[in-house]
Amino acid sequence: IPASAKGLVVAIGNFDGVHRGHQAILAQTRAKARELGCKAGVLTFEPHAREFFRPDRPMFRLTSAARKLELFAAAGMDAAIVLGFEKALAELTARAFAVDWLVAKLAVEHVVIGFHFFFGKGREGTPDTLKALGQELGFGVTIVSPEGTREEVFSSTRIRELLAEGHVRDAADMLGHWWRVSGKVVGGNKIGTGMGFPTANIQLPKGVQLHHGIYGVRVHHKSDTYKGAAYLGTRPTLDNGLPVLEVFLFDFDKDIYGDTIDIDFIAFLREDAKFRSMEALMAQMEQDCEAARVAVAAVDRE
């Protein structure tokens, strides 16, 4: 562990989504670091504990490991420590985790956690447990209260539910940023190209449960950003096969096979549907693209 990752004020958690509740924890971490005259960091875990304990049930991850690190940096964190969540770590008691990792390895100055933080074997450690351990072992602990609106608390679980219902704007309001999928452009069957809509096909990460349909999107490729329309579904008019994500970028004619693109989901436009003919499908696609242009442009003007 490098010296730069020791003696931090550190936020601890899984932080899937790095949503507005998580951002409140990170903000308090930065504030405490300034107060104590040290650097601010994050201690997180990969894979997510749920993925470790239930490997046969793919989890709907809101953010990949790489995306989390980007968002931590954007939130002003000076360092990120990623612990591999494996058998040895899972079997540590709450006390052993505090002694071995927080004190011996990281020499933390202060720890910031959410109100629902649990740690140690069998989730035996609670926020109060950590506070008591901190008093004994010589580090401070801040417990951050829930953040949210009058209606509901910001939570990764609720954001997953919103995305599964197609409510990408509501999900973005909770996240504090657009929900994003990143992936490598893979070859398709060229049906879209033959219809005048060449698409970038992306293989979705396992576990993603975004609602099927048409979306207005913003696509990032290298240093450029484009508006576009995305389709997620089983293509019932064609083959009704496995779900595919196909993105049509407006005003774009480059060959990007093999490149990685980032797709921000801006607006849900309509449900997936089966059409009586290819001509009817093509006519609808024209309407979908115009609706996507309008929807994304409207957000750009906000």
Side-chain angles (χ1 to χ4, degrees), residues 14 25 56 97 99 103 127 147 162 182 195 207 237 268 272 292:
N14 282 304
I25 296 173
D56 57 326
F97 175 76
V99 170
V103 177
E147 292 279 331
L162 289 168
S182 300
M195 298 168 65
T237 306
F268 178 75
D272 196 5

Side-chain angles (χ1 to χ4, degrees), residues 135-200:
Q135 290 174 346
E136 175 190 345
L137 299 172
F139 59 85
V141 176
T142 295
I143 302 169
V144 180
S145 300
E147 292 279 331
T149 63
R150 283 185 177 182
E151 290 76 23
E152 55 191 346
V153 172
F154 303 134
S155 80
S156 301
T157 297
R158 180 58 183 144
I159 293 166
R160 293 185 193 102
E161 291 172 350
L162 289 168
L163 292 171
E165 296 162 359
H167 302 312
V168 290
R169 184 60 185 262
D170 292 339
D173 288 343
M174 277 202 173
L175 284 164
H177 51 85
W178 297 106
W179 182 66
R180 174 176 293 185
V181 165
S182 300
K184 185 177 291 187
V185 178
V186 297
N189 54 21
K190 306 293 185 181
I191 292 177
T193 301
M195 298 168 65
F197 296 93
T199 58

Side-chain angles (χ1 to χ4, degrees), residues 261-272:
I261 61 174
D262 303 316
I263 306 158
D264 294 336
F265 286 78
I266 308 299
F268 178 75
L269 302 177
R270 68 168 176 85
E271 301 282 344
D272 196 5

Side-chain angles (χ1 to χ4, degrees), residues 7-11 25-42 75-79 109-112 142:
L8 301 173
V9 174
V10 66
I25 296 173
L26 301 180
Q28 292 210 29
T29 303
R30 290 197 314 274
K32 194 67 179 181
R34 286 195 300 269
E35 177 188 325
L36 297 178
C38 52
K39 291 184 176 181
V42 183
M77 295 294 102
D78 299 302
E109 190 72 24
H110 195 94
V111 171
V112 184
T142 295

Side-chain angles (χ1 to χ4, degrees), residues 182-186 200-202 220-222 252 254-262:
S182 300
K184 185 177 291 187
V185 178
V186 297
N201 299 330
I202 305 296
H220 307 279
H221 174 248
K222 297 182 178 178
F252 184 86
K254 298 177 183 177
D255 181 356
I256 56 173
Y257 284 114
D259 291 357
T260 295
I261 61 174
D262 303 316

